[in-house]
Amino acid sequence: MYGLKEMLLEEKARLQKIEEKTRNQLKGAPKGTLRISKSNNHIQYYHCTEENPRKNGTYLHKNEEELVHQLAQKVYDEKVLRLAEKRLRQIRRIAEEYQDDEMEKLFLMEHETRQKLICPVESTWNQQLEQWMKEEYEGKGFKEGVPLIYSDRGERVRSKSEKILADYFYHNNIQYKYEKPLQLTGYGVVYPDFTFLSKRTGKEIYWEHEGRMDDPGYAKAAIKKIETYEDNGIYIGERLILTFETETTTLSRKNIERNAKRYLV
């Protein structure tokens, strides 16, 4: 499963922070534990320690409320620490051995002659991508009189910024579809500037470049479309990538690279 290794490492980092935090808190915690009792609808707190001869602990008065909180926190922190340590041991063991593409590698390690005789349990990523790229679609047409702009891949695009994007994908071997139609409930058919197939999730990712955001009418329409994407379960930062331009702010290669590395590579 693509992405699982990264998720494991993220969870490992989260648990390590929790482990460090609880260890530090426990260093200053008071000795003993807290016993809670209820008598005549009144809650009573007792401090239990090994040194205390009283089996049920020493009664804590109202002016010792801070100690009550410290003891309760200590017991909780100890439970959290034990669980965090347990899960970290499990994750370290799995993450050390696990590779996202291990099933695919198992097939690719076979001699090419054997590969022709085998039906893999799952299609390889290249096979999935090849099949996706073969799927035909009808893009959005161009009106007469619109400037002719072509990407290095040889397809016609609508703007110089879209050419910059298309050329970046092409020269970095990132497969895409230009203006592949997408039906959005509550809006109709849209034509995302670029559509990609995610290796991590197997789902399509859409890249919209909004190039005239200082035009009030354009910006209003763009915002409505973005909201409709999210109404259809396609969220920014998950399956929707956005870049913007105004007359004074142009599309930068740095921004393209940052988004591509985060979502597409």
Side-chain angles (χ1 to χ4, degrees), residues 92-109:
R92 287 189 181 109
R93 185 171 64 251
I94 296 172
E96 184 178 343
E97 299 179 359
Y98 182 82
Q99 297 296 326
D100 287 336
D101 58 351
E102 56 189 9
M103 284 293 181
E104 181 173 328
K105 284 182 177 178
L106 195 65
F107 172 74
L108 295 176
M109 285 172 63

Side-chain angles (χ1 to χ4, degrees), residues 151-152 155 157 159-172 174 176 178 193-194 196 207-210 241-245 251-253 255-257 259-260 264:
S151 70
D152 289 352
E155 67 200 335
V157 295
S159 67
K160 293 179 180 179
S161 294
E162 287 186 355
K163 172 177 167 53
I164 291 171
L165 286 161
D167 290 348
Y168 176 86
F169 304 141
Y170 176 66
H171 291 294
N172 285 275
I174 299 173
Y176 67 87
Y178 180 69
D193 296 324
F194 301 94
F196 311 87
W207 188 312
E208 289 277 23
H209 179 67
E210 308 296 351
I241 305 169
L242 298 174
T243 46
F244 303 95
E245 274 188 293
L251 179 65
S252 70
R253 183 179 177 86
N255 195 14
I256 298 172
E257 289 178 344
N259 282 289
L264 305 179

Side-chain angles (χ1 to χ4, degrees), residues 39-50:
S39 177
N40 297 324
N41 291 324
H42 291 286
I43 303 297
Q44 297 175 328
Y45 302 105
Y46 295 86
H47 187 189
C48 303
T49 63
E50 293 180 0

Side-chain angles (χ1 to χ4, degrees), residues 48-106:
C48 303
T49 63
E50 293 180 0
E51 297 82 4
N52 193 330
R54 297 183 182 181
K55 183 178 180 181
N56 293 327
T58 303
Y59 177 74
L60 294 172
H61 298 275
K62 288 185 178 181
N63 61 356
E64 296 177 286
E65 185 178 353
E66 184 177 351
L67 179 57
V68 171
H69 285 281
Q70 289 176 340
L71 290 169
Q73 185 68 44
K74 176 190 175 184
V75 174
Y76 169 74
D77 286 343
E78 288 174 338
K79 292 177 181 177
V80 169
L81 182 59
R82 286 195 296 271
L83 180 58
E85 289 175 336
K86 179 181 178 181
R87 294 293 178 244
L88 276 170
R89 288 193 298 270
Q90 294 171 331
I91 288 174
R92 287 189 181 109
R93 185 171 64 251
I94 296 172
E96 184 178 343
E97 299 179 359
Y98 182 82
Q99 297 296 326
D100 287 336
D101 58 351
E102 56 189 9
M103 284 293 181
E104 181 173 328
K105 284 182 177 178
L106 195 65

